[in-house]
Amino acid sequence: MSIKAINVRNQFRGKVKEIIDGPVVSEVDIETPAGIVTSVITSRSVRDLGLAPGVEVVALVKATEVSIAKL
């Protein structure tokens, strides 16, 4: 299956930098030109997607709320 189109506008191409494995969920750090994007996904998905450091990926971000704090 290949994706022909998607409605997610926030897309960050990058490479997996680090994976912190957990028994149920894992933390995946993706290095992008904009900086590090971190995702928490199931450890099963990490295995199914064949994720490992150096693998090229696209982080798709779709959020209904973005909070902003004044510094």
Side-chain angles (χ1 to χ4, degrees):
M1 177 176 113
S2 63
I3 297 171
K4 305 248 187 248
I6 192 164
N7 71 327
V8 178
R9 299 292 179 239
N10 300 310
Q11 301 178 21
F12 302 93
R13 287 182 165 268
K15 289 185 179 182
V16 175
K17 181 177 180 180
E18 181 181 14
I19 299 173
I20 300 171
D21 290 314
V24 178
V25 295
S26 295
E27 186 175 318
V28 181
D29 290 339
I30 302 162
E31 190 161 15
T32 75
I36 300 294
V37 174
T38 301
S39 178
V40 176
I41 63 175
T42 64
S43 298
R44 181 178 181 175
S45 289
V46 170
R47 289 190 304 274
D48 290 350
L49 291 170
L51 298 181
V55 171
E56 290 188 29
V57 295
V58 177
L60 306 168
V61 180
K62 178 128 178 145
T64 57
E65 177 181 332
V66 176
S67 299
I68 299 174
K70 183 178 177 184
L71 300 177

